[in-house]
Amino acid sequence: MESCLPLVFVSLEDWDEIWRRNQFLCAILSRRRRILFVGPPRTVRERDFRWTVPVHPGVTFFRPWKVLPNRWTSGRRINEWLHRFQLRLLCRTLGMSRPTLWINDHAQGHLAGRLGEAGVVYDVTDDWTVFPQQEEDRRRTVAQDAALTRRADAVIVCSDALYAQKDGRCRSLHLIPNGVDLAHYERVSDASRARPSDAVWPSPAVGYTGTVHAARVDLELLEALAQALPSVSIVLIGPSHLAPGRLQRYPNIFLAGPRPYEVLPEYMRTFDACIVPHLMTPFTESLNPIKLWEYLAAGLPVVSTDVAGFRDYPDLVRLTRTPAEFVAQVRAALDEGDRHQAARRAVAAHNSWELRAGQVSAILAQVGGS
């Protein structure tokens, strides 16, 4: 097997049971190169003193320590210096000389040029410059994003909106959307499998998979849906960042919490349709949601607000712009059956993670020379 330069992959999220773009890509890339997967910094108060953790064949997970609050300018600079020190030490310990540096977190641009790396890739999966936040934090985000866009040897984006934003501002720009493992979702249509014991919601059910965050999910739309269709279970599977009590007064809304990627299809099999109640904002316009490809791979009817990614498939996704339209299309989706299942799965088959990883490998070879 041809060997490649090691990869230091600096991620916005930890490596955990909720798989995202970063885990899917690294799991495939690790067949040919060693990967140090770096999660967000931690404090000693977390009481996790493990240095590194093997999380996948060829992938070592590490979270650097920080000692001061980042809200202090001096604290942030000390934390950044400590971050670089730990990564340089760990790379030497692991024998990872001249790695390619992949940065998914704009706040970690200070690592570029400091690890003896062969090249730098900036992977942009969300437009954090328009995410709701304090003005001081927004200005810092804009500056960090702009600096890393200029500094990186290659910039990868996942959506057309991000491509338009970065075009002409970087050395080398590439559009690589998210993908899916089609075989993983074949279980959704396997009626012989037992229903998970904790899937307590009654049928019919419509479901959403992903983080439930007020900056992304239209909570008023969900409330309107719950009121209009009281006999339909609305199931939200994923981490919830909602204020306590929000949505819980509706007996047909089930905040089910996260489920590991490995068993997610078992829960999706309880859905009669999938829903995407996303807010229509500049932030959601920057996304290429993984759930787009997962819903298509599952073959289930899909109802979505008119957001990026989903609007590209108007023949396979029921698009809406108002709560009334959303309710009407959910009713129609529940009566649809499986007549578009094969077409949805065919689209998913042409958007696999294997294909995406192949595109990424070509860019890494150009950037790092191997």
Side-chain angles (χ1 to χ4, degrees):
M1 179 184 296
E2 180 186 355
S3 62
C4 299
L5 289 176
L7 178 65
V8 175
F9 196 109
V10 183
S11 172
L12 271 165
E13 300 105 1
D14 287 332
W15 186 295
D16 54 27
E17 292 183 317
I18 311 300
W19 274 39
R20 306 169 182 87
R21 174 185 175 98
N22 295 346
Q23 286 102 318
F24 290 116
L25 291 176
C26 283
I28 298 173
L29 295 173
S30 65
R31 298 171 190 168
R32 296 184 58 204
R33 63 177 77 227
R34 288 192 302 151
I35 298 177
L36 175 61
F37 190 97
V38 183
R42 55 182 160 167
T43 68
V44 294
R45 288 180 295 179
E46 294 184 41
R47 302 294 184 184
D48 183 357
F49 299 108
R50 294 174 295 177
W51 181 234
T52 60
V53 180
V55 290
H56 191 84
V59 182
T60 299
F61 176 50
F62 170 69
R63 289 185 65 197
W65 281 278
K66 63 178 183 179
V67 295
L68 294 171
N70 278 330
R71 65 178 180 272
W72 304 341
T73 300
S74 57
R76 185 169 61 254
R77 289 174 179 170
I78 290 171
N79 289 335
E80 289 175 352
W81 176 88
L82 184 60
H83 193 165
R84 295 191 295 268
F85 174 81
Q86 292 172 79
L87 283 185
R88 285 194 294 264
L89 177 61
L90 186 52
C91 284
R92 286 198 297 270
T93 301
L94 297 175
M96 299 177 70
S97 61
R98 293 191 70 249
T100 301
L101 176 59
W102 179 295
I103 301 178
N104 177 230
D105 182 355
H106 55 271
Q108 306 306 331
H110 64 93
L111 296 171
R114 306 292 188 92
L115 300 182
E117 67 271 10
V120 178
V121 174
Y122 180 27
D123 182 32
V124 189
T125 54
D126 308 87
D127 187 359
W128 295 107
T129 66
V130 297
F131 187 78
Q133 55 188 314
Q134 296 293 327
E135 180 58 25
E136 180 181 355
D137 295 331
R138 191 196 69 81
R139 287 197 300 268
R140 184 183 305 113
T141 297
V142 169
Q144 291 170 335
D145 173 76
L148 190 50
T149 297
R150 292 190 301 268
R151 171 64 180 79
D153 298 289
V155 174
I156 298 175
V157 296
C158 70
S159 69
D160 292 332
L162 288 170
Y163 190 95
Q165 182 198 84
K166 301 296 182 187
D167 194 17
R169 301 183 181 184
C170 52
R171 306 180 195 181
S172 179
L173 181 60
H174 308 268
L175 173 60
I176 301 182
N178 289 314
V180 70
D181 178 356
L182 181 65
H184 188 67
Y185 288 89
E186 289 179 348
R187 285 179 280 168
V188 175
S189 57
D190 185 354
S192 66
R193 291 177 175 267
R195 183 186 182 100
S197 60
D198 58 345
V200 296
W201 44 88
S203 296
V206 296
Y208 172 86
T209 61
T211 302
V212 185
H213 196 295
R216 179 174 302 188
V217 174
D218 189 337
L219 302 181
E220 293 182 359
L221 174 58
L222 286 176
E223 292 173 335
L225 183 63
Q227 292 171 1
L229 301 176
S231 63
V232 175
S233 297
I234 302 167
V235 184
L236 310 176
I237 296 181
S240 175
H241 297 280
L242 302 184
R246 189 66 196 265
L247 300 182
Q248 294 177 350
R249 63 191 179 95
Y250 297 95
N252 59 328
I253 294 182
F254 296 82
L255 288 164
R259 295 294 186 276
Y261 169 72
E262 182 55 38
V263 299
L264 185 58
E266 310 295 336
Y267 291 88
M268 292 180 68
R269 197 170 58 253
T270 70
F271 298 170
D272 296 282
C274 297
I275 58 172
V276 189
H278 279 179
L279 292 164
M280 293 178 285
T281 66
F283 180 73
T284 57
E285 192 63 27
S286 74
L287 307 178
N288 179 251
I290 294 177
K291 63 177 62 63
L292 163 65
W293 311 111
E294 293 177 340
Y295 288 0
L296 293 177
L300 293 169
V302 182
V303 180
S304 175
T305 51
D306 189 2
V307 292
F310 290 91
R311 75 164 64 95
D312 295 336
Y313 298 95
D315 295 335
L316 302 177
V317 176
R318 297 176 179 274
L319 296 171
T320 70
R321 294 195 63 84
T322 68
E325 289 177 359
F326 201 93
V327 169
Q329 289 300 332
V330 166
R331 285 196 177 102
L334 291 174
D335 293 331
E336 180 183 310
D338 60 3
R339 62 180 178 270
H340 296 301
Q341 182 183 89
R344 292 189 179 100
R345 289 177 59 81
V347 170
H350 289 92
N351 291 276
S352 69
W353 282 120
E354 292 284 349
L355 173 64
R356 305 301 192 227
Q359 296 170 318
V360 167
S361 291
I363 296 170
L364 292 177
Q366 294 173 5
V367 168
S370 175

